[in-house]
Amino acid sequence: MGKPLKSVFKKEHRDDVSNPSANPVFSTVAEMFLSRRRFLQMGAVAGAAASFPFLLKPENALAAVSQPSALSKAVSLGFTSIPVSTDDTVRVPEGYIARPFYRWGDATGIKGNLPAFKFDASNTTDEQAAQAGMHHDGMAWFSLPQGEQDPAHGLLAMNHEYIDNGMLFTDGTANWSLEKARKGQNAMGVSIIEVKKSGSDWEVVRPSGFARRITVNTPMQLTGPARQQALMKTAADPQGEQVLGTMQNCANGYTPWGTYLTCEENWSDIFVKKSERNALEKRYGISDSDESYRWSEVDDRFNVDKTPNEPNRFGWVVEIDPYNPNSTPRKHTALGRFKHEGAAVTLAADKRVVTYMGDDQKFEYIYKFVSDNNYNPADREANMQLLSAGTLYVARFNDDGSGEWLPLVFGQNGLDKSKGFDNQGDLLIKTRLAADAVGATKMDRPEWIAVDPHNSGSVYCTLTNNSDRGKEGKAPVDAANPRANNTFGHIMHWHEEGGDPAALRFKWDILVLAGRTDTADEKAKGSMKGAEFGSPDGLSFDHQGVLWIQTDVSSSTINKKAYEGMGNNQMVATIPGTNEYRRFLTGPRGCEITGIAFTPDNRTLFINIQHPGEGGDDITDPANPRAVSNWPDNNPQGRPRASTVVITRADGGIIGS
Ligand code: FEO
Ligand code: CA
Ligand code: CA
Ligand code: CA
């Protein structure tokens, strides 16, 4: 292919294959049809109980820790599905109101430091550190004060996943410098903002003692088995205990003790190594060039030839206490190192903490972590240690609809020195290699995972797409990934044995094959009734058990090619088991819909619009930033800006039903 893909299409490159392992695959065409029959039955039978006999049994209904709420389970959707849209705006159903709120460059609310956004992108590096970052992604709600369920006053913690240097600077990457790289570093990471309902509307509280920006240079502590490992030590941190910053923060999680989890996804795009790359670097996708971020040219930390262990310090889940702006974020190495999409937290029957996580790249895996110790609602300090010690598992989806969680533990299943692992900490730095060795199932790009708040043993995962499935030399179709050249993606469902999230066995099925409803072509056909969609990514339950799905069709494909006529990226809702999907929201041009947080009363919904105006190229032409979109400001001298959107009902009612 000549020129490295990364220099042309970063978004395609980062999802490229870096898993050459020859794991067993299970399927035959007949087995693929077995799975298909199962979900067709599911769609044909009205009601969840008939199609998922394990659902709705009271003994399986644990307390809804992942979405604490007293609201009862919804039995039907209560809004009218809206049409697809190619307009440069956010559309929601009649009776709903959607308003942009905390756009890239808006002041975060840090006391004495409230810089206004400059529409020509001329804000300085220091100003950017006190403003919303770019490319908002995962997000969570935390009521104020801590421990309360106030639906009208709280904190939003949110990720700023990546940057577009063509939008971030008036002159793009001209006159490239460390100062410019630092502005990019300040535009990534996490925002914590205080928000309050004022009448029927919402405002960002400025200034606020909680307001905080966490960036690529914020000091963090390492916890767990990989802390102090040889591969974690650098000249700047000879003990291997402290890391500067977090980056490429994609989806998220939140814990029952009121902390935010931010997940490091495409961090390997930032690092560059010109000399021969070793097997570990190749397995994690470190490449020899980067024309998107260009930090490695001016900041040696990202030049792997000069700082060889720095990449090992990324690819983790980071825990942040949003209630304490002086707290030090912690990277929890016990949860494994990969391209973390999100971290869905729930509690086992015995109150151990269970965290489900996807590794979003073609042919990568689904993981779960089970803590050693139990959650104690009366001891927040002890809970803060729960993610530092436990067991990491990786999923195998058997072709008969059963599945297993395989432990990634040094000394078990052949994971020892003979396979290149020195100890548990070393193994966790090499998580992908350990998962290869135990025979995990290669999936079609695992994105978000959601636990049903009314059935905590019931879990769902978006598999966004995989254009390489079934290609020559790549993994063939299997029962869990049943479509070759999977253009539209699908959503997996599994139910843990006995309804216990800590179980080591499960049963799985496919909730829905995404795709079009207007085609007879099996490869493109969606199995849903109602609103069609493709490339599912964001996935979350609300407090009533409605499942919300957000799409991320890549910006080079939106409303084109196989997606022609399907419009801009969107958000749909379903109640699992009904197979009915309704379209709730359509976004502006060139954006992805992501990030989702409901207030405890389910009457306010916050979502994120990421990268409006992205045209499919790696870097937007700085001379023409409005070529695709000028949302949300429509300022003739402005540029599109990622933004949180606050959504309410005009009558103040519950969202979705
Ligand atoms: Fe950042 Fe896999 O989405
Ligand atoms: Ca995503
Ligand atoms: Ca995605
Ligand atoms: Ca995207």
Side-chain angles (χ1 to χ4, degrees), residues 14-15 137 161-162 248-251 265-266 339-341 359-361 445-448 464 537 552 592 594 610:
R14 69 183 187 185
D15 304 321
D137 205 320
E161 187 183 23
Y162 66 108
Q248 301 272 0
N249 305 83
C250 189
E265 189 192 17
N266 291 305
K339 297 190 183 179
H340 277 283
E341 177 73 23
D359 182 352
D360 178 14
Q361 198 169 0
R445 295 186 54 202
E447 299 249 28
W448 289 46
T464 196
D537 187 340
D552 178 22
E592 158 186 350
T594 185
Q610 187 187 89

Side-chain angles (χ1 to χ4, degrees), residues 355-434:
T355 305
Y356 293 99
M357 302 170 286
D359 182 352
D360 178 14
Q361 198 169 0
K362 292 172 179 173
F363 305 114
E364 295 299 340
Y365 307 124
I366 294 172
Y367 296 83
K368 84 170 172 185
F369 166 85
V370 182
S371 67
D372 284 346
N373 296 317
N374 299 349
Y375 169 65
N376 176 357
D379 191 347
R380 190 167 190 253
E381 279 313 302
N383 295 333
M384 289 282 193
Q385 309 309 317
L386 289 171
L387 300 180
S388 302
T391 305
L392 184 66
Y393 300 88
V394 67
R396 180 157 67 203
F397 292 83
N398 298 322
D399 57 349
D400 63 357
S402 67
E404 294 153 71
W405 292 106
L406 308 168
L408 300 178
V409 175
F410 181 75
Q412 293 184 22
N413 293 322
L415 299 175
D416 53 26
K417 296 205 184 212
S418 71
K419 290 265 170 56
F421 306 112
D422 287 342
N423 54 48
Q424 183 62 23
D426 185 64
L427 181 154
L428 288 166
I429 295 165
K430 304 167 180 169
T431 299
R432 281 181 165 185
L433 295 169

Side-chain angles (χ1 to χ4, degrees), residues 43-45 512 517 526-532 578-582:
V45 178
V512 65
T517 53
S527 66
M528 75 287 285
K529 285 186 191 146
E532 63 183 12
T578 66
N579 202 35
E580 186 203 358
Y581 292 75
R582 293 191 192 179

Side-chain angles (χ1 to χ4, degrees), residues 131-302:
Q131 296 172 319
M134 275 191 144
H135 290 20
H136 306 30
D137 205 320
M139 173 168 59
W141 164 271
F142 299 91
S143 285
L144 283 171
Q146 187 199 326
E148 300 296 316
Q149 292 290 309
D150 191 332
H153 188 199
L155 304 173
L156 283 175
M158 75 180 76
N159 297 339
H160 302 290
E161 187 183 23
Y162 66 108
I163 55 170
D164 177 342
N165 279 327
M167 295 275 195
L168 185 63
F169 303 101
T170 310
D171 59 353
T173 54
N175 304 307
W176 191 242
S177 66
L178 179 59
E179 181 68 11
K180 282 192 146 179
R182 291 267 188 260
K183 183 177 179 187
Q185 292 168 2
N186 288 346
M188 274 198 210
V190 172
S191 280
I192 293 163
I193 58 174
E194 181 181 346
V195 298
K196 197 166 194 171
K197 203 167 185 186
S198 150
S200 62
D201 210 347
W202 285 81
E203 62 181 21
V204 179
V205 178
R206 297 185 181 97
S208 162
F210 295 102
R212 185 175 187 188
R213 278 300 321 285
I214 288 163
T215 73
V216 181
N217 292 294
T218 302
M220 322 210 147
Q221 285 288 331
L222 288 161
T223 82
R227 178 180 164 91
Q228 299 176 336
Q229 283 296 310
L231 283 174
M232 298 296 260
K233 295 176 180 174
T234 64
D237 175 29
Q239 304 302 317
E241 296 176 344
Q242 294 186 345
V243 180
L244 287 184
T246 184
M247 61 187 186
Q248 301 272 0
N249 305 83
C250 189
N252 69 291
Y254 55 92
T255 66
W257 54 95
T259 60
Y260 184 66
L261 303 179
T262 183
C263 303
E264 298 177 340
E265 189 192 17
N266 291 305
W267 49 273
S268 66
D269 288 0
I270 306 271
F271 290 99
V272 170
K273 188 177 186 187
K274 300 279 187 202
S275 59
E276 178 71 18
R277 286 162 290 148
N278 63 33
L280 182 64
E281 291 159 348
K282 284 182 185 162
R283 186 66 184 81
Y284 280 85
I286 306 287
S287 77
D288 61 2
S289 68
D290 161 37
E291 293 173 27
S292 312
Y293 300 99
R294 299 185 57 183
W295 299 354
S296 63
E297 297 173 27
V298 290
D299 188 344
D300 284 349
R301 198 150 70 95
F302 304 100

